Amino acid sequence: MKISNKLIMGALWLFSYLKPPARDVETIYAHAKKHNERQVFKVPRYRNIDCEDLIIRTDSGDYHCLRMRRKNQEPERAVLYICGGGGVYDYCRLQLILAKKLLRWVNAEIYYPFYPPSTKHPVREAYRMIFETYRVMLDQYSHEKIGVLGLSFGATAAMTMISWNNFYEENLPMPVLTIGLSPGHVPVNQVERERLESYRGIDPFIPVEWIDAFGHIQKGGADVEPWMIHTGHGDFRNPGKIFLYYGEKECLVYAAPIYGESLERAEAEYRIHIESGMPHCYGIGRINKATKTTYDEIVSLLNDL
């Protein structure tokens, strides 16, 4: 492992030691609920970025989606940027800085959905809101000029958007490009559980217990479709190009071959990259050679839309 990779992993392990994560469902739910109740949407003010609050409507409610573009520009492409949080934590405001940073590198308009966490609704509502955001984007941009970039649960949602389109026969043309950093998946059988268990003690960021715990919270006591929880087994027919990135030192990488098998069945054009010695969502910024290489590749893919 390269020295810079070791330093990043060491810093994450130190943080995990100083602030160990909760591991049981009840504690995680209570912590997430308290956190989420403190989140208040407001349109940010940036000197060089124009922001607009776009209201996305579903049968269950109205939600905010932030449209962002550089001032005095009329971009020809758009990015659906989906933040992470396991579908349980509302990290939309906290991760907005990452979307803002991307605008420095990508000549595009960003749609940033503030989807509801599973402490408020079962995860189906988050997926519905994100899908409806994409539907609205199609009013302004061709699917050939739309890319999706998802982080962690956002990557899961990006993939599940394809399954949603097929399952509900929405028949929307899917984005020409889908990029996912560390999409998740809840084990569906003992073989997958054992594969996940093999990563115990390797990931400083996500304990293996979180995967089933977050899946339980995502259901919200409702009878949701299996592909909304066991997302790697989704129906990925008729997508655009798909690029998935994992770190070797994260437990969610256990899901990489599961997604790969489903994408093979769907005859999708895809690539799954696993970066040696790197953690969860390593490609969200430009910190060392490995992160810069992946981040710059993502920027290039989006700018080539």
Side-chain angles (χ1 to χ4, degrees):
M1 188 189 302
K2 296 180 180 178
I3 293 177
S4 59
N5 296 16
K6 289 182 179 179
L7 290 173
I8 292 171
M9 292 299 298
L12 289 174
W13 275 117
L14 177 61
F15 180 81
S16 178
Y17 174 77
L18 295 175
K19 193 175 181 180
R23 296 170 186 264
D24 63 281
V25 172
E26 291 77 15
T27 305
I28 294 170
Y29 178 85
H31 184 267
K33 189 173 187 294
K34 184 177 180 180
H35 166 85
N36 295 342
E37 288 171 349
R38 294 196 301 265
Q39 305 309 302
V40 178
F41 174 84
K42 63 178 180 179
V43 178
R45 293 184 178 182
Y46 300 129
R47 185 178 62 182
N48 298 317
I49 299 174
D50 288 326
C51 297
E52 176 189 350
D53 179 17
L54 182 67
I55 301 300
I56 304 297
R57 292 182 168 86
T58 72
D59 293 338
S60 299
D62 295 348
Y63 303 99
H64 300 280
C65 176
L66 195 65
R67 290 178 65 175
M68 309 166 62
R69 65 169 69 181
R70 297 183 208 165
K71 286 187 181 294
N72 303 317
Q73 288 199 353
E74 295 291 334
E76 297 179 352
R77 61 186 65 84
V79 176
L80 175 56
Y81 194 110
I82 314 172
C83 71
V88 172
Y89 282 89
D90 181 351
Y91 287 152
C92 295
R93 285 184 60 192
L94 292 175
Q95 295 180 19
L96 185 57
I97 190 174
L98 300 174
K100 177 187 175 186
K101 178 182 177 182
L102 184 66
L103 275 180
R104 293 170 49 193
W105 301 90
V106 174
N107 182 19
E109 180 171 32
I110 288 181
Y111 286 68
Y112 189 92
F114 283 68
Y115 59 83
S118 297
T119 56
K120 295 183 178 179
H121 295 280
V123 72
R124 181 189 292 110
E125 183 67 1
Y127 292 142
R128 183 192 302 274
M129 184 270 173
I130 291 167
F131 192 88
E132 292 305 318
T133 300
Y134 175 64
R135 192 193 304 274
V136 169
M137 293 176 70
L138 288 173
D139 292 337
Q140 301 294 326
Y141 296 91
S142 162
H143 73 283
E144 296 178 343
K145 288 294 183 178
I146 297 177
V148 182
L149 175 57
L151 315 181
S152 193
F153 175 78
T156 309
M159 295 300 294
T160 304
M161 195 169 77
I162 303 168
S163 297
W164 183 289
N165 194 50
N166 289 320
F167 183 84
Y168 291 112
E169 299 182 349
E170 298 278 3
N171 297 319
L172 294 187
M174 286 289 93
V176 71
L177 176 66
T178 295
I179 302 171
L181 295 176
S182 304
H185 166 84
V186 177
V188 73
N189 55 40
Q190 188 60 28
V191 171
E192 292 182 3
R193 291 184 192 284
E194 290 175 359
R195 187 183 298 172
L196 172 61
E197 182 63 28
S198 71
Y199 286 90
R200 182 177 294 277
I202 291 177
D203 191 332
F205 192 67
I206 300 178
V208 296
E209 292 89 350
W210 273 19
I211 310 305
D212 272 318
F214 276 50
H216 178 83
I217 295 170
Q218 287 173 5
K219 291 180 182 178
D223 184 20
V224 301
E225 289 76 8
W227 53 266
M228 293 187 182
I229 304 297
H230 312 294
T231 47
H233 294 296
D235 181 354
F236 303 130
R237 290 172 299 145
N238 307 312
K241 294 181 180 179
I242 295 173
F243 293 81
L244 304 182
Y245 300 86
Y246 288 95
E248 180 193 24
K249 298 297 184 180
E250 65 168 314
C251 67
L252 287 181
V253 72
Y254 95 97
I258 299 171
Y259 277 102
E261 291 167 6
S262 295
L263 289 165
E264 285 290 335
R265 285 195 299 271
E267 299 182 349
E269 184 176 353
Y270 76 98
R271 180 165 68 87
I272 298 177
H273 175 75
I274 300 173
E275 185 64 33
S276 175
M278 293 303 287
H280 180 66
C281 280
Y282 74 94
I284 61 172
R286 305 175 80 252
I287 302 172
N288 66 348
K289 183 177 180 180
T291 59
K292 288 178 182 177
T293 298
T294 293
Y295 193 88
D296 291 349
E297 180 174 283
I298 291 171
V299 166
S300 178
L301 288 168
L302 293 172
N303 277 327
D304 285 345
L305 289 174

